[in-house]
Amino acid sequence: MNRIVVVGASAGGLAMAEALRRVRYEGAITLVGDEPHAPYDRPPLSKQLLKGDWQPERLALRPAADIQALGLDLRLGATAIGLDRNSRQVHLADGGRVPYDALIVATGVRPRRLPGCEGVSGVHVLRTVEDALALKEALRPDRRLVIVGGGFIGAEVAATARALGVTVTLLEAGTVPMGLAIGEEAGRFLTRIHLAHGVDVRTDTSVHEIQSSADGRVTGVLLSDGSVLAADGVLVAVGSLPNTEWLAGSGLLLQDGLLCDEYSAAAPDVYGVGDVARWHNPLFGTPMRIEHRTNAAEQALAVARNLLTPDQRRPFAPVPYFWSDQYDVKIHAYGHLRGHDEALVLKSEEAQRLLVAYRRGERLTGVLAAGLPPRTVRAWRSLVAAGTPWTEAVIGASVA
């Protein structure tokens, strides 16, 4: 194998290149990225960069010297628009062709947008450093920000904006913010935190229209109940879409991401890594697509080993991990929380501390802690990894 091409130069793509070198691959590695920047960190976009604690140059995932030491054929500002698996070539927007012996798809995701917002000044999404810098300019104490969507991005930006003195309204179509990801109990806990910090949280609410002035500047948000929220800025945070359009016609299976097996393989010599990959996790017996940096790094190392030592390949079966910082509360979670049958509150102290265990069927599948030391939730990770029966896991646990 002489050339491995990695399409996607964010955290997953860089982790893949580093993993290949770590397992002593000495062939050529081409890293293709559509942004002009060297790989940078995205979680701080909604927190440290937006708040002004960090400058953009601090986002770099690695010093330039470290990236240079990887010996990459680095193609930044290059967009992949097609894949020919017969000739084993990636087609680029500039007309270039990149041949490969093995291909890693790490193209990530992009924000969903609301219809009717095109060209309206003051309507933002958050994915790139340019998005964050544009939104940062709108976060002033005399401004009113409406956030459409109460997921991770929406909730984190609400916390950052309130710290800057911005008047914030958080709109969520479901019953609680982040409910799909962490469940009703944890969602209610987060709601209490945001209310305590002055966020106007509105649930079971949808947007009918983004209103604008004659000069194209956002002025408000018309809700489905007919009411209007005045707004100087709007953040659309209603989820993401996997960047798989360039793979259309390639014969690869695309289903809310690049569909992969338990080894993260989408086809012979084609693998998925990071946010774009939907792979079968045998630990939980279900396909999943995870948009968290820890998963991208772990998956990259697993793919590198499976690709280069196929006779020793092993399923990628991690216990997923994610974290979120909102105000002075750090949230940690391990496992598969979505689609649970039960969420048992083990500890709850109003808007300060929370510990929740999640059950699916007869086994423990996840745990979430907020406002508690990281070691508290780490102690549960091994129980999730072992597929511990629910009754055994919660026996002796202090229930609130």
Side-chain angles (χ1 to χ4, degrees):
M1 190 170 294
N2 297 318
R3 178 178 295 275
I4 297 175
V5 173
V6 182
V7 182
S10 194
L14 178 60
M16 189 68 225
E18 291 179 326
L20 288 168
R21 294 305 187 207
R22 192 178 308 163
V23 296
R24 304 186 185 281
Y25 173 71
E26 297 180 353
I29 302 175
T30 298
L31 182 60
V32 178
D34 60 354
E35 292 188 62
H37 315 288
Y40 64 90
D41 207 7
R42 295 189 192 275
L45 296 181
S46 61
K47 298 178 279 288
Q48 294 94 333
L49 184 69
L50 205 57
K51 195 174 179 181
D53 294 341
W54 287 18
Q55 295 304 308
E57 53 269 20
R58 190 171 173 181
L59 296 173
L61 283 168
R62 299 290 182 272
D66 289 359
I67 293 180
Q68 186 175 3
L70 293 171
L72 305 177
D73 171 19
L74 189 58
R75 313 270 187 105
L76 298 178
T79 302
I81 61 170
L83 171 64
D84 186 337
R85 288 173 56 208
N86 292 325
S87 64
R88 294 189 172 227
Q89 290 186 334
V90 174
H91 297 187
L92 303 180
D94 63 5
R97 302 286 189 271
V98 184
Y100 68 85
D101 296 313
L103 173 67
I104 312 299
V105 177
T107 41
V109 298
R110 65 186 184 280
R112 291 180 182 270
R113 298 175 184 267
L114 293 179
C117 295
E118 298 81 3
V120 179
S121 178
V123 177
H124 303 269
V125 293
L126 185 56
R127 176 65 183 175
T128 68
V129 63
E130 288 82 8
D131 293 337
L133 292 174
L135 179 58
K136 181 175 180 290
E137 290 300 311
L139 300 186
R140 301 174 188 170
D142 59 339
R143 297 297 182 92
R144 297 160 299 183
L145 177 68
V146 175
I147 301 174
V148 185
F152 283 98
I153 296 296
E156 289 181 354
V157 171
T160 300
R162 283 302 299 143
L164 295 171
V166 179
T167 299
V168 178
T169 301
L170 180 64
L171 305 178
E172 168 56 44
T175 56
V176 291
M178 295 177 62
L180 287 177
I182 63 177
E184 293 287 322
E185 295 294 339
R188 282 194 285 271
F189 173 84
L190 290 178
T191 299
R192 292 194 294 270
I193 293 177
H194 284 285
L195 291 173
H197 285 83
V199 176
D200 180 4
V201 180
R202 304 199 183 188
T203 58
D204 296 311
T205 303
S206 61
V207 173
H208 181 71
E209 181 184 44
I210 302 295
Q211 299 182 333
S212 60
S213 61
D215 62 355
R217 181 80 196 176
V218 66
T219 59
V221 177
L222 173 63
L223 302 181
S224 54
D225 63 6
S227 62
V228 176
L229 297 172
D232 303 298
V234 173
L235 172 67
V236 178
V238 290
S240 59
L241 294 168
N243 291 319
T244 57
E245 288 76 11
W246 67 284
L247 298 171
S250 67
L252 298 175
L253 296 178
L254 308 177
Q255 184 180 327
D256 185 31
L258 175 63
L259 202 59
C260 302
D261 64 14
E262 66 268 33
Y263 304 100
S264 301
D269 297 322
V270 179
Y271 290 79
V273 163
D275 299 3
V276 73
R278 174 173 289 279
W279 93 103
H280 182 82
N281 187 335
L283 180 60
F284 300 95
T286 187
M288 54 180 63
R289 186 174 64 81
I290 298 177
E291 298 181 24
H292 296 289
R293 214 185 84 185
T294 304
N295 180 75
E298 292 177 348
Q299 193 167 30
L301 185 56
V303 166
R305 289 169 173 163
N306 287 340
L307 177 62
L308 299 180
T309 55
D311 57 325
Q312 302 174 32
R313 68 178 191 159
R314 298 171 57 185
F316 179 54
V319 176
Y321 168 72
F322 72 81
W323 78 96
S324 179
D325 293 320
Q326 297 177 35
Y327 308 103
D328 56 351
V329 177
K330 182 173 285 291
I331 302 159
H332 298 270
Y334 282 103
H336 184 47
L337 278 54
R338 291 176 182 264
H340 56 266
D341 297 320
E342 181 182 357
L344 178 64
V345 177
L346 301 173
K347 184 184 294 291
S348 179
E349 296 179 25
E350 196 56 31
Q352 298 180 24
R353 294 179 179 86
L354 181 73
L355 180 64
V356 183
Y358 297 80
R359 174 182 67 82
R360 192 172 187 181
E362 299 303 319
R363 61 172 285 193
L364 174 74
T365 55
V367 62
L368 177 144
L372 294 168
R375 65 178 180 274
T376 302
V377 67
R378 281 200 300 266
W380 286 78
R381 181 188 181 281
S382 59
L383 297 177
V384 175
T388 305
W390 176 252
T391 52
E392 178 182 335
V394 301
I395 285 176
S398 58
V399 179

